[in-house]
Amino acid sequence: MTLVPPTTHSTADIVASNIRAEAARLGYTQVEFGRALGISQNQITRRWKGVINWQLDELDDVAALLGLTVTDLITPPRGGLGYEKLPRLDSNQQPAD
């Protein structure tokens, strides 16, 4: 049996994922979000895609716009980032009593 180390994500990945998720939940488009933060469309798109990282000095403004704290932005979501593989289930699942 080969053990596979758990998938780890950088803080930058976590921050970007949390920002995308919360902005989407609030109905922001990339353009609207960037405009609200005073960031050009090119720059917001590059951050959205993970080409460049969100800067530490931007997180206060981002958190305020999203109604969150900076701690919320840097904390991994409880369900993970969605990249992890789900456990394989038995093909003959029985109801639990």
Side-chain angles (χ1 to χ4, degrees):
M1 178 166 147
T2 304
L3 295 177
V4 178
T7 303
T8 58
H9 300 284
S10 71
T11 302
D13 293 337
I14 292 165
V15 168
S17 178
N18 285 341
I19 291 172
R20 283 191 307 270
E22 192 62 21
R25 190 183 75 74
L26 294 173
Y28 281 107
T29 65
Q30 284 183 30
V31 173
E32 293 168 338
F33 195 68
R35 193 173 295 137
L37 293 170
I39 298 175
S40 72
Q41 182 176 352
N42 180 43
Q43 290 297 311
I44 199 72
T45 298
R46 294 179 76 198
R47 282 168 177 76
W48 218 258
K49 292 181 177 182
V51 174
I52 59 175
N53 296 328
W54 287 93
Q55 300 301 303
L56 186 57
D57 62 350
E58 297 170 327
L59 295 186
D60 285 324
D61 292 337
V62 171
L65 181 61
L66 297 174
L68 301 172
T69 66
V70 173
T71 302
D72 294 329
L73 294 178
I74 64 172
T75 302
R78 278 184 265 151
L81 296 178
Y83 305 136
E84 297 83 9
K85 287 187 174 182
L86 295 174
R88 188 167 184 185
L89 298 176
D90 182 358
S91 61
N92 189 16
Q93 292 290 306
Q94 299 297 315
D97 291 331

